[in-house]
Amino acid sequence: MKFDFITNGNIHHLRSINSKQSHFVVFGCDQMTFTKLRIIAPDESPNTDGIKIGKSKGINITSVTIGTGDDCIAMLAGTRNVLISDVFCGPGHGISVGSLGKNEGEEDVDNIVVKNCTISGTNNGVRIKSWAVQLKKTLMASNFLYEDIVMDNVQFPIIIDQDYCPHSSCQEDSSVQSSVQISNVAYKNIRGSGNSEVAASFKCSQNKPCQGITMDNINLWPYASDSGSLSNVCLNVNGASYGQHNPPSCI
């Protein structure tokens, strides 16, 4: 279902089952509310994003259950002023910003809040991803807050990946760096279990290091009790840590 160039829309009490591709696509919209939705697709179904948002502002998503084979919620270039709250996500690829920075002319992403959500049985938890592509103009992705989020059996709970490459045909070239500047991202009161070795992974661009990344009271442990402990990965990231951390913060 597509929503193009709508202002002051209210979408509520709908169920979307087994969409062939994305269930809800929001483009060029202003002041839209999505509430009391149930979105369902098999976990192996490709490109079945729950809610995909691009070039839109003032989007409010609340009290929604999403289980798909791709991102539960995907926020693409030009997305601003989004509040996501009381969302259950799983299965799927988590709640994502991006991928960004693949093409010239993309618009900035700004002011994203994700809070009071549960992410369960997904590949990723909360993720920001950008391509390693050299653009003429720096793309800004800034002012994000992830707060009061429960992770349950999530493969990679917290991710910033500025070398995003979903295809095996991608050619790795260390001389090409992302042109997306990620800044002012706060992770606060995130707890739960991960099923890989990594709790938080920040792989930022050498050309555009991540700036102002803060971690405040993060408690993530292995899903399997006999799996040892998790660790964090930091590359080209600047910021600060506050409160208690399990595993120890790398910022």
Side-chain angles (χ1 to χ4, degrees):
M1 187 177 297
K2 293 185 177 181
F3 301 94
D4 293 343
F5 305 105
I6 294 175
T7 299
N8 298 325
N10 190 359
I11 314 303
H12 59 92
H13 292 90
L14 294 179
R15 179 177 293 184
S16 178
I17 301 175
N18 297 339
S19 174
K20 291 183 179 180
Q21 289 191 344
S22 299
H23 292 254
F24 296 94
V25 178
V26 182
F27 183 83
C29 293
D30 187 358
Q31 306 303 317
M32 294 279 290
T33 296
F34 295 83
T35 186
K36 304 293 184 181
L37 306 180
R38 187 170 181 85
I39 298 170
I40 303 169
D43 59 2
E44 70 276 9
S45 57
N47 301 318
T48 52
D49 295 302
I51 302 175
K52 181 181 287 186
I53 307 166
K55 287 192 176 182
S56 298
K57 61 182 179 179
I59 309 300
N60 187 357
I61 301 171
T62 183
S63 300
V64 173
T65 298
I66 306 173
T68 73
D70 211 309
D71 294 325
C72 290
I73 300 172
M75 291 164 278
L76 308 181
T79 301
R80 299 172 183 267
N81 304 331
V82 175
L83 173 61
I84 298 168
S85 63
D86 299 302
V87 168
F88 182 92
C89 167
H93 294 178
I95 297 175
S96 294
V97 174
S99 52
L100 304 174
K102 187 177 183 180
N103 301 303
E104 297 286 356
E106 292 184 17
E107 296 180 10
D108 296 343
V109 177
D110 181 62
N111 192 24
I112 309 296
V113 176
V114 181
K115 62 189 303 183
N116 298 323
C117 294
T118 298
I119 302 175
S120 178
T122 58
N123 291 7
N124 309 294
V126 290
R127 175 172 58 159
I128 303 171
K129 51 183 177 176
S130 71
W131 294 86
V133 174
Q134 189 66 48
L135 302 177
K136 295 178 181 177
K137 181 181 178 181
T138 298
L139 182 69
M140 305 298 294
S142 56
N143 301 316
F144 302 157
L145 171 63
Y146 300 97
E147 183 175 15
D148 296 328
I149 296 173
V150 174
M151 305 285 181
D152 173 33
N153 189 24
V154 174
Q155 187 173 9
F156 301 106
I158 298 172
I159 305 174
I160 295 178
D161 180 8
Q162 291 207 261
D163 194 20
Y164 177 67
C165 178
H167 310 299
S168 59
S169 60
C170 292
Q171 298 295 319
E172 292 188 5
D173 184 353
S174 60
S175 66
V176 180
Q177 299 284 320
S178 174
S179 296
V180 179
Q181 179 63 70
I182 297 172
S183 61
N184 299 331
V185 183
Y187 302 91
K188 185 175 182 180
N189 299 332
I190 298 178
R191 66 191 188 279
S193 59
N195 66 15
S196 70
E197 297 179 353
V198 178
S201 175
F202 300 114
K203 294 183 178 179
C204 299
S205 168
Q206 185 177 3
N207 182 46
K208 302 288 183 183
C210 295
Q211 303 289 343
I213 310 301
T214 59
M215 304 280 282
D216 188 352
N217 289 316
I218 310 297
N219 185 15
L220 295 167
W221 58 85
Y223 178 71
S225 58
D226 60 350
S227 296
S229 60
L230 304 181
S231 61
N232 294 322
V233 175
C234 286
L235 181 65
N236 301 315
V237 55
N238 299 307
S241 297
Y242 307 95
Q244 297 182 342
H245 289 266
N246 176 38
S249 175
C250 59
I251 298 178

